[in-house]
Amino acid sequence: MKLVNFEINRFSKIYFSLLLITILSQFVGVIIKVQGFLNKTDQTMLEEKLTEATYLEVYGGVNFNLVSGSLWFLGPIALCAVALIFYIFLIWYRDWFGKNTFIYRLLMLPTTRLSLYLSKATAIFLMVLGLIALQLIILPMENALFNSMMPEVFLTAKMSVMTILGSKPVLALIIPNSFTQFIISYGIGLMILFVLFTAIMLERSYRIKGIVLGIIYSVLAGALFLSPIWLNGSNGISLYPSEIFGSLIALGIIITAVSIWLGSWLLKKRVTV
């Protein structure tokens, strides 16, 4: 827990900056998109001499998708995703290439190196959950602000939070609408995280040769995980959806377990101080 807290604190300034950017961008986006729509509507009605009823017949109304599909809303989500993907690599390489080669101190701590390995993964996963929690907190507020600013005559429907989340594939992916889907989506995310960690350990253990080994390992892990989908319908193999689903879960667990074992073994046996 101390190692997890330590890793989170090291990234806290950037992390809270990402949270602040998300809040500001999305709320500003609501205001700008609503005002832009109303200004454009007034201008169109004036130029074409339309009543509100005629305008709605010709152009139709809007809902919260006006905001949730905009760069103001999706931009900070993409920024946070890119930042955390980048941090998967930074969380390790910063220790090697940072000031005073901090990895030496970490590797000499009186604890198992597996704890060090898992603490970095846990820190990243908790940051992801924090971003999801923030989005779930501010989305109802943004929705309420949108509904209060937009005249009801132009609203096609007042969308619920669940409807908003299901209306955009990106939102449905990062915030699944069921606990089972959440476990599946973020279970795959954890698998990818540990595969990348293992690829990094291969590079740190074997340097130039390790880069090639890391790429090969990542490709093989991905190919193995997707093999039930690729094999279905080929060479006389026919699988039911439930069998494909079960195979993906089993392979995901195996790949994750092998990645953790191999990564921790490399950190313990091959990466030296």
Side-chain angles (χ1 to χ4, degrees), residues 103-154:
I103 190 65
Y104 293 164
R105 294 171 62 187
L106 288 177
L107 293 177
M108 288 188 289
L109 288 173
T111 183
T112 62
R113 292 188 180 181
L114 178 60
S115 297
L116 174 62
Y117 184 86
L118 294 178
S119 69
K120 290 181 181 290
T122 303
I124 291 174
F125 191 64
L126 288 177
M127 290 178 196
V128 172
L129 293 181
L131 289 169
I132 296 171
L134 174 71
Q135 191 64 74
L136 287 173
I137 291 170
I138 65 175
L139 186 56
M141 301 179 190
E142 294 163 355
N143 191 30
L145 177 61
F146 175 83
N147 290 332
S148 66
M149 291 184 64
M150 183 66 69
E152 287 197 18
V153 66
F154 294 115

Side-chain angles (χ1 to χ4, degrees), residues 156-198:
T156 56
K158 289 187 177 181
M159 302 175 71
S160 66
V161 172
M162 294 304 295
T163 305
I164 294 170
L165 293 176
S167 64
K168 298 293 179 184
V170 173
L171 294 178
L173 177 65
I174 62 173
I175 310 178
N177 58 11
S178 69
F179 182 72
T180 302
Q181 188 61 46
F182 176 85
I183 294 296
I184 294 170
S185 296
Y186 285 91
I188 293 173
L190 274 176
M191 178 192 72
I192 294 172
L193 173 64
F194 284 118
V195 167
L196 290 176
F197 269 21
T198 301

Side-chain angles (χ1 to χ4, degrees), residues 181-254:
Q181 188 61 46
F182 176 85
I183 294 296
I184 294 170
S185 296
Y186 285 91
I188 293 173
L190 274 176
M191 178 192 72
I192 294 172
L193 173 64
F194 284 118
V195 167
L196 290 176
F197 269 21
T198 301
I200 293 169
M201 290 300 100
L202 285 166
E203 187 279 327
R204 287 289 83 198
S205 299
Y206 301 102
R207 298 304 191 267
I208 300 298
K209 216 190 307 183
I211 296 175
V212 177
L213 291 174
I215 293 172
I216 292 174
Y217 179 79
S218 301
V219 171
L220 288 178
L224 178 62
F225 179 70
L226 296 174
S227 60
I229 299 174
W230 291 343
L231 293 175
N232 186 38
S234 63
N235 300 322
I237 299 174
S238 181
L239 300 173
Y240 290 107
S242 59
E243 292 174 326
I244 295 175
F245 180 70
S247 300
L248 290 174
I249 291 178
L251 288 172
I253 293 172
I254 291 171

